[in-house]
Amino acid sequence: MLSDALHEVLQRLENAARSAGRPRPHLLAVSKTQAATAVAELAAAGQRAFGENYVQEALAKQQNLNALALEWHLIGHLQSNKAAAAAAAFDWVQTLDRAKLVPLLAGGRDAGRPPLNVLIQVNIDDEASKHGCRPEDVPALAEAVASQSRLALRGLMAIPAPAPDLERRRTAFRNMKRLFDDVAARHPQADTLSMGMSDDYAIAVEEGATMVRVGTALFGRRITKAQS
Ligand SMILES: *Cc1c(COP(=O)(O)O)cnc(C)c1O
């Protein structure tokens, strides 16, 4: 039962937050490759926020689930030619990682809707990944996002290198928290630090995550590859 998995993850989040003396973070259910019926099942159990990696896949699911008023987050790499579509389809984009995307996202966001919530994706320690900005680029990108009325700067997101050594990831999370505190000091509306996945979310919470992105621990193993 997906509702059992949801309650177990929520309980673990609660425990990790309590033992770290922090508020319980928001749970983003990562539904990439999962059927709309699975999303509906989790929604029925009370989950509202869902993360998708591809614009097209999200649009297809949203059509099926229109009546549920869910909150959709883009967590996959964003191509420039999909930015306007992403700004229209999602409530949050967590993967803004270069200045070029700022006007494209702002231009794609309808003036009649609330501003698009934006997280800046930081490449905190993964030399193998081309995605995410460098830590030293964060202040300028944050300024650029904050200067757009159609965008709301909400904070930072990271996907640390998939090191088998969890302590290395703790270091990455700790460095992210420091970067985030700097951004939040300049931009009080930045209240979200998105980090931690199925195998490391407890550590991320201890280090200050306010949102964790969990797929496998909720839905089970992904069998098919996500479609773009
Ligand atoms: C797939 C994905 C997740 C969830 O990963 P799990 O290990 O299944 O919990 C989180 N964040 C991003 C960016 C992802 O692509």
Side-chain angles (χ1 to χ4, degrees):
M1 291 293 288
L2 291 183
S3 62
D4 293 340
L6 175 63
H7 291 128
E8 185 174 329
V9 169
L10 288 173
Q11 191 59 55
R12 286 193 182 177
L13 280 175
E14 179 85 45
N15 293 345
R18 189 178 308 130
S19 66
R22 296 187 184 275
R24 188 171 93 185
H26 298 281
L27 173 63
L28 182 69
V30 175
S31 49
K32 64 182 176 212
T33 78
Q34 306 295 341
T37 49
V39 174
E41 196 180 328
L42 265 198
Q47 177 64 26
R48 302 243 65 82
F50 291 87
E52 288 283 339
N53 288 54
Y54 297 100
V55 177
Q56 284 310 118
E57 186 182 339
L59 283 171
K61 269 173 234 185
Q62 288 168 0
Q63 270 185 352
N64 271 297
L65 302 166
N66 213 352
L68 296 181
L70 302 175
E71 181 182 290
W72 293 94
H73 294 231
L74 179 68
I75 60 171
H77 177 65
L78 182 55
Q79 294 168 283
S80 304
N81 64 359
K82 300 269 172 65
F90 289 88
D91 302 293
W92 292 64
V93 167
Q94 298 204 4
T95 50
L96 186 147
D97 64 355
R98 54 203 192 278
K100 185 183 177 186
L101 291 173
V102 174
L104 297 175
L105 285 172
R109 189 66 172 185
D110 198 88
R113 296 178 65 195
L116 177 70
N117 297 294
V118 172
L119 300 183
I120 295 170
Q121 183 183 355
V122 184
N123 186 339
I124 196 66
D125 73 341
D126 191 354
E127 292 89 27
S129 171
K130 294 181 202 74
H131 302 157
C133 72
R134 294 176 306 173
E136 55 268 37
D137 295 336
V138 167
L141 268 181
E143 289 296 336
V145 173
S147 73
Q148 295 279 352
S149 63
R150 302 315 307 141
L151 306 180
L153 175 69
R154 297 297 298 272
L156 304 180
M157 177 272 213
I159 311 170
D165 172 7
L166 286 181
E167 282 312 306
R168 180 174 162 188
R169 275 190 246 176
R170 184 185 295 280
T171 303
F173 292 145
R174 198 164 286 172
N175 290 337
M176 280 300 297
K177 170 72 165 128
R178 210 171 294 137
L179 267 181
F180 171 69
D181 286 343
D182 288 345
V183 170
R186 279 170 189 258
H187 305 279
Q189 74 278 26
D191 57 1
T192 303
L193 178 55
S194 168
M195 58 187 193
M197 319 203 311
S198 289
D199 62 347
D200 60 11
Y201 65 82
I203 300 175
V205 172
E206 286 168 19
E207 298 302 331
T210 70
M211 180 183 293
V212 297
R213 309 178 307 267
V214 177
T216 308
L218 286 172
F219 291 102
R221 290 217 163 280
R222 288 179 288 274
I223 303 161
T224 52
K225 230 180 126 4
Q227 296 296 301
S228 63

